[in-house]
Amino acid sequence: QVRLEESGGRSVQPGDSLRLSCATSERTYYRYTVGWFRQVPGKDRDFVAAVKRDSNSVLYYADSVKGRFTISRDNSANIVYLQMNNVKPEDAAIYYCAVNTGPVSTYYDAQYYRNWGQGTQVTVSS
């Protein structure tokens, strides 16, 4: 079973940058489409970005983060990154990563993801 661990969350100011990491010891990590989601209290977990299995060029983004966030994967290190630039107050949330177990067309749907990490908190305040 793939176990994922998120890290990199911290308190930042609007306009700042930070990079989240989603790491695993699972050597077959590259075989999975991996997604980042975020959640604020009382709301559903929302799709942020995903990177297709076996690829570092097929990428998907929520409209709210396009042009600001970049997802990438380092298969040699079994890590998927989420580079967050020009962070906005509305980006504040707990960020989770998980692996997609459905067809690639379900990249945006949390119900097709498994093996969620424990999350990493991003706080945005001026």
Side-chain angles (χ1 to χ4, degrees):
Q1 185 175 3
V2 178
R3 290 189 175 185
L4 306 179
E5 182 174 359
E6 304 94 339
S7 63
R10 58 185 175 89
S11 180
V12 296
Q13 295 183 333
D16 283 353
S17 297
L18 74 162
R19 187 176 74 169
L20 307 183
S21 299
C22 175
T24 180
S25 60
E26 175 58 52
R27 296 179 182 179
T28 60
Y29 197 32
Y30 68 94
R31 295 180 183 175
Y32 296 92
T33 293
V34 177
W36 282 97
F37 288 75
R38 63 189 182 188
Q39 188 171 25
V40 297
K43 294 191 175 182
D44 293 337
R45 198 165 290 187
D46 291 333
F47 170 73
V48 175
V51 55
K52 187 173 179 248
R53 62 181 182 272
D54 296 326
S55 173
N56 213 3
S57 60
V58 182
L59 312 170
Y60 308 99
Y61 296 98
D63 288 342
S64 58
V65 306
K66 278 182 182 177
R68 299 188 298 120
F69 291 9
T70 302
I71 188 171
S72 63
R73 65 193 311 163
D74 181 345
N75 288 331
S76 64
N78 296 327
I79 299 177
V80 172
Y81 298 104
L82 184 68
Q83 177 67 41
M84 303 169 61
N85 296 330
N86 189 22
V87 173
K88 300 180 179 181
E90 53 263 40
D91 295 322
I94 299 175
Y95 283 72
Y96 299 90
C97 62
V99 295
N100 182 280
T101 57
V104 70
S105 58
T106 64
Y107 67 86
Y108 61 92
D109 193 337
Q111 69 174 327
Y112 287 94
Y113 282 80
R114 299 291 181 268
N115 305 100
W116 296 91
Q118 82 290 347
T120 186
Q121 177 80 54
V122 174
T123 303
V124 184
S125 59
S126 55

